[in-house]
Amino acid sequence: MGFLVHGSSGPIARFRRRLFPGHNSLARGSDRFEALLLKVVILAALLAIPVAAAVGSANHGRQVAAAAADAIGRQAATAYLSKDAPVRIVDSESVGTGNSTTEATWTDSRGVRHTGGVLATPGSPAGSAVPIWIDARGELTAAPRTASTAVFDSVLVGLWLWFAMVAALVLLHQVVRLILDRHRAAAWERAWAVYPRSGSWP
C-alpha cells in the first residue's frame, strides 16, 4: 500500500502527475489541458451529488403523494381458500418457490361475498387465511405503495442520475484524452522525422 501511495510509479503517483503536470518540466500544453479537464470532471462529479440528491428528494415527495393516492379506496382484507392450493413439483430444471393462484372467498366492508383467485403458498390447505387488498367494490387490487418503497425508489433515482452524470463526464474525458493522445503521437512522429536531417530537436 505504501508503494501505491508514495512510489513514483504507483497508480496514485501517476494520477497525481496527470492531475498536476505543472511540476514536470517536460509537461506539454496538451498535458496541462488534459489536467485541467480532469479537474473539471472531478469537480463536476462532486457538484452532481447535491443535484442528484435534490432530484431524489423531489421524487420522494411525488412517491409519497402517489402512495397516499394509492391507499385511497383500498383496504386490507382476508381471503380464505376454498380448496387446497396445488403442490408445486420441483425437479432438476425448475424451482418451485413461488406462490400459486388458488380459488378463495372473501367479504368486503359491505358484507358482500366475493370469489376469485388469490396467490397462496403451494400446499396450503382449504380454509387457510390469505391477506389480500381490495378496492371500494370489493374486487382484488394491488397493494398500495408504502413509505419504504417511496424512499427506496427515490434513493435509486438519485443514484442512477448521479451514475449517469459521472459516466457522461468520464466518457467526455476519455474522448478528449484519445484526441490528445493522437495529437501527441503525431507530434512525436513529426519530431522523429525531422531529427535525422537536422541533427537537433525542433
Side-chain angles (χ1 to χ4, degrees):
M1 179 62 70
F3 174 77
L4 294 178
V5 176
H6 302 291
S8 60
S9 60
I12 295 180
R14 290 197 300 270
F15 179 79
R16 186 166 55 239
R17 287 196 296 270
R18 285 180 54 196
L19 194 60
F20 303 103
H23 301 294
N24 188 348
S25 59
L26 298 179
R28 298 155 293 188
S30 60
D31 297 325
R32 293 186 174 86
F33 177 79
E34 182 181 346
L36 176 61
L37 177 62
L38 182 57
K39 293 173 184 175
V40 171
V41 167
I42 294 175
L43 178 61
L46 293 176
L47 293 177
I49 294 176
V51 173
V55 173
S57 178
N59 182 75
H60 178 260
R62 291 191 295 269
Q63 291 289 337
V64 170
D70 282 349
I72 297 176
R74 302 188 191 192
Q75 62 180 6
T78 302
Y80 296 92
L81 299 184
S82 302
K83 57 183 179 180
D84 296 344
V87 177
R88 180 167 297 179
I89 299 176
V90 181
D91 55 29
S92 59
E93 297 181 354
S94 64
V95 178
T97 57
N99 294 342
S100 57
T101 301
T102 306
E103 184 178 341
T105 60
W106 64 91
T107 303
D108 62 24
S109 58
R110 300 168 299 174
V112 178
R113 186 181 180 86
H114 298 266
T115 302
V118 300
L119 292 177
T121 303
S124 297
S128 296
V130 178
I132 59 172
W133 283 88
I134 58 176
D135 58 22
R137 298 176 300 175
E139 302 295 333
L140 288 173
T141 187
R145 280 171 283 189
T146 62
S148 59
T149 300
V151 171
F152 177 80
D153 290 345
S154 301
V155 171
L156 193 62
V157 167
L159 287 176
W160 273 114
L161 177 61
W162 186 76
F163 285 144
M165 289 188 289
V166 170
L169 291 169
V170 171
L171 179 61
L172 171 64
H173 175 264
Q174 292 300 316
V175 169
V176 173
R177 187 181 181 188
L178 177 62
I179 295 174
L180 292 176
D181 284 343
R182 291 181 177 178
H183 174 75
R184 288 186 283 247
W188 272 109
E189 290 180 1
R190 291 193 299 270
W192 277 112
V194 173
Y195 178 73
R197 294 193 297 271
S198 62
S200 61
W201 294 100

